[in-house]
């Protein structure tokens, strides 16, 4: 590789770039002896606000060591992040999904402005991982992802009972709120749970969105083998961090760029692993968004196609009882690739090995945590895409977390125009069972920001209504949601989709096996409602969220920004 081929030459090479070199010397990170070495940015989402990110300082140091060992020069810069669990259930959640676009723009802006030759994406939580991958795919330079790793389970010995139970965030805090409201647990028990459910740093313990995206990233070939499931507290994670730093310099020298790895075949692999694990429904937003930035056109139908043939072979929380630490000890994503066999296409990864080579060298250490495809938990994968008169462009449900008796459900609609109104009704005892709860005007535009509905869904489960009601929304769900919860209804209510015309008492029919969802209203009546419908006033009219609402597209397309041609129209 010649010096001329480095991106950073534009900023540093030649007498006219003396001011640029002087400013880099002033950082203390760069010296004359570094001339001609690749400049590697460490895009760090470190934050004291997000438990999944508090341990990143030590990982930054390990990455720096790896970059230096590989012959590059490391530079850490910051990337914003939001903890969805803290932002849940109030105005803060409006900002969660929109933050993904801010993160992508940050990656593009910093890397392009400073002509960085490569990037290590140090990330962990829900919107931060896809946002970073979107930015990397957009600028298409060499890069590698390091997800910091999952949190360990909490432990608690309940007074008066033998044995220790393991705790996780969603089941033992969010759902515990509903159990507390129903009188099942008292104030002291709730306080004990909130102190013990999250014992330290890491992404929350189940296969929620953060850990799902880590698994998807590794399956796509964009992080090193074993990265996704390795807990943040393991020394193995530090070793992976150092290796990632060294490897990214190799990628720069080899000329391997993001879109060399992110392609339709690797995306199909990522979805297959997602379906096999029963991951978060939010991947139906994030994977299309990453593909979009890489110039690949996919729709949510690809999830249903792959889910029909990729069985559900690992049952982690929220649907099952296993934790991410169990997946790690069972062999992690390499072992999942091994189990899936020919369902995984043989494509290159950033490690230098192909997916088949990684699978062949993997070992499965627990036959129940990662089952063979001949003995799955469910014959189909975790996700189903439903279509019908309520959702012509589709909607999604995590079918692996729905009980058999709720796979088909019909009931009268109880309609709410916001999450807040729905929570008030649920917590106030206004939902008795048998209903189909509809929460609308919470889509990408209408929210704005497509808030997660973990608070109402967890309250329903905690109050014993998880198998008595269905919940449908043009918003989205946390990866921790379980039960018959159907999200991403498209078109959304704010765009005049049929969900805007549903009324209290309308019959809603859900048939997950047949992939159907119907608003049982005569076409003539539905058309009358459409003609009389008036768009609601935007909830937020200033600042970033107002701009986001103006330019964001449907959930069925990944809730990305519309193209310039569409804006001009």
């Amino acid at each position: 590789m010649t010096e001329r081929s480095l991106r950073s030459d534009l900023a540093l090479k030649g007498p006219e770039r003396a001011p640029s070199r002087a400013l880099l010397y002033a950082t203390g990170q760069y010296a004359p002896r570094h001339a001609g070495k690749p400049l590697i940015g460490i895009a760090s989402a470190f934050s004291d606000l997000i438990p999944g990110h508090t341990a990143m300082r030590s990982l930054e140091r390990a990455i720096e060591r790896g970059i230096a060992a590989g012959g590059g020069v490391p530079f850490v810069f910051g990337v914003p992040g939001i903890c969805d669990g803290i932002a849940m259930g109030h105005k803060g959640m409006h900002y969660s999904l929109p933050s993904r676009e801010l993160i992508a723009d940050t990656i593009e802006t910093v890397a392009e402005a400073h002509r960085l030759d490569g990037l290590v994406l140090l990330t962990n939580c829900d919107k931060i991982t896809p946002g970073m991958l979107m930015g990397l795919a957009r600028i298409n330079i060499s890069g590698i992802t390091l997800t910091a790793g999952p949190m360990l389970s909490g432990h608690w010995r309940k007074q008066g009972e033998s044995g220790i139970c393991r705790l996780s965030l969603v089941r033992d805090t969010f759902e515990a709120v509903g159990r507390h409201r129903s009188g099942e647990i008292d104030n002291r028990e709730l306080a004990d749970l909130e102190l013990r459910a999250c014992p330290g740093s890491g992404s929350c313990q189940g296969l929620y969105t953060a850990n799902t995206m880590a698994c998807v990233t590794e399956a796509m070939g964009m992080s090193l083998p074993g990265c996704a499931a390795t807990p943040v507290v393991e020394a193995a994670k530090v070793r992976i961090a150092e290796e990632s730093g060294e490897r990214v310099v190799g990628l720069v020298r080899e000329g391997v760029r993001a879109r060399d790895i992110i392609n339709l075949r690797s995306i199909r692999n990522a979805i297959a692993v997602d379906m096999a694990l029963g991951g978060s429904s939010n991947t139906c937003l994030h994977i299309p968004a990453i593909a979009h930035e890489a110039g690949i056109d996919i729709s949510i139908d690809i999830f249903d196609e792959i889910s029909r043939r990729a069985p559900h072979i690992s049952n982690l929380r929220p649907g099952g009882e296993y934790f991410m630490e169990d997946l790690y000890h069972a062999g992690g994503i390499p072992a999942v690739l091994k189990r899936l066999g020919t369902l995984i296409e043989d494509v290159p990864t950033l490690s230098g090995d192909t997916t088949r080579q990684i699978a062949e060298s993997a070992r499965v250490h627990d036959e129940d945590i990662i089952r063979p495809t001949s003995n799955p938990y469910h014959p189909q994968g975790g996700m189903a895409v439903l279509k019908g008169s309520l959702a012509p462009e589709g909607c999604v449900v995590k079918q692996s977390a729905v009980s058999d008796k709720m796979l088909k459900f019909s009931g009268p609609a109880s309609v709410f125009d916001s999450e807040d109104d729905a929570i008030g009704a649920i917590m106030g005892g206004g939902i008795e069972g048998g209903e189909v709860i509809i929460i609308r005007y919470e889509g990408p535009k209408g929210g704005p920001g497509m808030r997660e509905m973990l608070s109402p869904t967890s309250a329903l489960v905690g109050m014993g209504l998880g198998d008595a009601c269905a919940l449908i929304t043009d918003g989205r769900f946390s990866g921790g949601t379980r039960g018959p919860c159907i999200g991403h209804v498209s078109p959304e209510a704010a765009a005049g989709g049929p969900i805007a015309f549903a009324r209290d008492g309308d019959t809603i029919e859900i048939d997950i096996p047949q992939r159907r969802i119907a608003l049982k209203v005569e076409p003539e009546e539905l058309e009358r409602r459409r003609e009389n419908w008036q768009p609601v006033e935007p909830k937020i009219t200033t600042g970033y969220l107002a701009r986001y609402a103006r330019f964001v597209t449907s959930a069925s397309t990944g809730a990305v920004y519309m193209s310039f041609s569409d804006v001009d129209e």
Side-chain angles (χ1 to χ4, degrees):
M1 181 178 196
T2 64
E3 291 185 17
R4 197 179 318 175
S5 62
L6 289 174
R7 281 167 42 94
S8 56
D9 286 347
L10 289 172
L12 297 178
K13 191 174 182 181
E16 69 278 9
R17 297 303 180 194
S20 299
R21 292 191 295 272
L23 289 168
L24 276 185
Y25 296 153
T27 69
Q29 294 289 107
Y30 193 73
R33 69 179 183 280
H34 293 141
K37 292 184 176 182
L39 304 188
I40 306 298
I42 302 172
S44 174
F46 167 79
S47 172
D48 286 330
L49 282 168
I50 308 174
H53 294 216
T54 54
M56 285 183 175
R57 283 295 184 235
S58 62
L59 296 178
E60 291 171 2
R61 301 289 83 80
I63 296 167
E64 287 178 325
R65 291 196 300 271
I67 292 169
V73 187
F75 295 90
V76 177
F77 66 93
V79 174
I82 288 174
C83 177
D84 278 23
I86 297 173
M88 195 74 65
H90 55 80
K91 184 179 179 180
M93 184 47 68
H94 288 291
Y95 288 89
S96 174
L97 183 60
S99 75
R100 187 188 72 179
E101 316 310 308
L102 282 177
I103 292 163
D105 289 350
T106 299
I107 295 295
E108 174 194 358
T109 300
V110 175
E112 293 286 58
H114 297 90
R115 307 308 300 163
L116 298 176
D117 298 298
L119 290 171
V120 178
L121 309 177
L122 178 55
T123 174
N124 215 24
C125 289
D126 294 27
K127 311 309 170 297
I128 303 154
T129 299
M132 286 198 185
L133 284 168
M134 289 165 64
L136 179 65
R138 182 187 301 169
I139 59 178
N140 194 28
I141 66 173
S142 301
I144 195 166
T145 308
L146 178 72
T147 47
M151 181 188 296
L152 296 180
S153 60
H155 287 74
W156 183 40
R157 186 188 298 275
K158 190 173 180 180
Q159 188 173 3
E161 295 185 8
S162 61
I164 293 176
C165 59
R166 294 199 293 172
L167 308 178
S168 62
L169 170 72
V170 173
R171 193 170 300 182
D172 300 300
T173 61
F174 279 96
E175 292 180 10
V177 171
R179 298 201 300 273
H180 178 265
R181 179 57 63 98
S182 68
E184 181 183 336
I185 62 175
D186 60 19
N187 290 339
R188 180 174 178 178
E189 186 166 341
L190 183 62
D192 283 340
L193 288 171
E194 69 182 65
L195 281 170
R196 292 171 169 82
C198 299
S201 186
S203 48
C204 301
Q205 305 101 325
L207 197 63
Y208 315 139
T209 304
N211 288 324
T212 301
M213 283 308 305
C215 295
V216 160
T217 301
E218 183 179 331
M220 198 183 296
M222 287 300 294
S223 58
L224 293 180
C227 180
T230 303
V232 68
V233 299
E234 293 279 341
K237 181 64 74 174
V238 180
R239 294 193 291 270
I240 292 171
E242 186 165 352
E243 186 180 354
S244 296
E246 187 167 3
R247 179 62 188 140
V248 74
V249 181
L251 295 173
V252 172
R253 297 192 186 284
E254 295 162 19
V256 177
R257 298 184 295 175
R259 295 191 192 182
D260 295 322
I261 305 300
I262 303 173
N263 52 53
L264 183 57
R265 297 173 70 200
S266 69
I267 285 171
R268 292 177 68 88
N269 284 346
I271 295 173
V273 168
D274 184 13
M275 298 303 104
L277 293 174
S280 166
S281 59
N282 283 309
T283 58
C284 294
L285 294 170
H286 300 324
I287 293 176
I290 295 166
H292 172 77
E293 295 290 358
I296 303 162
D297 184 24
I298 64 172
S299 73
I300 60 170
D301 294 329
I302 193 174
F303 290 86
D304 201 66
E305 171 209 330
I306 294 174
S307 185
R308 289 178 182 272
R309 57 187 180 82
H312 178 219
I313 61 173
S314 185
N315 207 20
L316 279 63
R317 288 196 178 190
E321 291 302 325
Y322 290 120
F323 294 71
M324 280 298 293
E325 64 198 70
D326 300 319
L327 182 66
Y328 166 65
H329 292 298
I333 297 305
V336 175
L337 296 175
K338 188 180 192 74
R339 283 295 201 216
L340 291 176
T342 56
L343 290 170
I344 296 297
E345 300 180 53
D346 193 28
V347 296
T349 74
L350 291 179
S351 69
D353 291 333
T354 68
T355 48
R356 188 155 298 161
Q357 290 171 325
I358 293 169
E360 288 172 352
S361 62
R363 295 176 61 189
V364 179
H365 299 290
D366 191 299
E367 296 289 319
D368 194 54
I369 295 171
I370 307 175
R371 289 187 176 182
T373 56
S374 59
N375 180 36
Y377 285 96
H378 299 97
Q380 294 186 354
M383 215 83 67
V385 176
L386 315 184
K387 291 186 177 182
S389 57
L390 188 65
E393 293 178 6
C395 54
V396 299
V397 60
K398 187 192 283 193
Q399 62 176 346
S400 59
V402 179
S403 66
D404 289 344
K405 75 174 189 176
M406 295 298 288
L407 291 172
K408 294 183 179 182
F409 187 78
S410 177
S414 291
V415 182
F416 302 93
D417 286 346
S418 72
E419 178 189 13
D420 310 274
D421 291 344
I423 291 174
I426 293 167
M427 299 300 280
I431 303 296
E432 297 180 354
E435 299 106 318
V436 177
I437 302 165
I438 293 179
I439 306 177
R440 63 190 179 192
Y441 295 104
E442 290 287 2
K445 286 183 180 295
M450 204 178 183
R451 290 194 288 178
E452 287 187 350
M453 303 291 158
L454 183 57
S455 293
T457 59
S458 296
L460 286 170
V461 172
M463 296 171 73
L465 295 171
D467 277 349
C469 299
L471 193 152
I472 299 172
T473 181
D474 54 7
R476 59 193 178 88
F477 296 113
S478 162
T481 294
R482 54 180 172 145
C485 300
I486 299 167
H488 307 197
V489 170
S490 299
E492 63 176 290
I499 191 172
F501 315 134
R503 295 179 179 174
D504 286 339
D506 287 345
T507 298
I508 308 295
E509 289 187 354
I510 301 165
D511 189 334
I512 295 174
Q514 296 300 316
R515 307 301 201 257
R516 291 199 301 262
I517 185 166
L519 171 61
K520 304 299 286 186
V521 173
E522 291 298 324
E524 296 81 6
E525 170 61 19
L526 194 62
E527 186 58 33
R528 279 193 294 271
R529 295 182 188 181
R530 186 189 305 273
E531 291 173 355
N532 294 326
W533 175 76
Q534 294 294 324
V536 300
E537 290 295 319
K539 298 174 185 174
I540 296 174
T541 58
T542 60
Y544 175 57
L545 290 178
R547 296 196 300 274
Y548 178 84
R550 181 180 176 189
F551 297 117
V552 71
T553 63
S554 168
S556 63
T557 60
V560 297
Y561 284 148
M562 62 179 68
S563 66
F564 288 117
S565 60
D566 292 333
V567 173
D568 293 338
E569 291 176 4

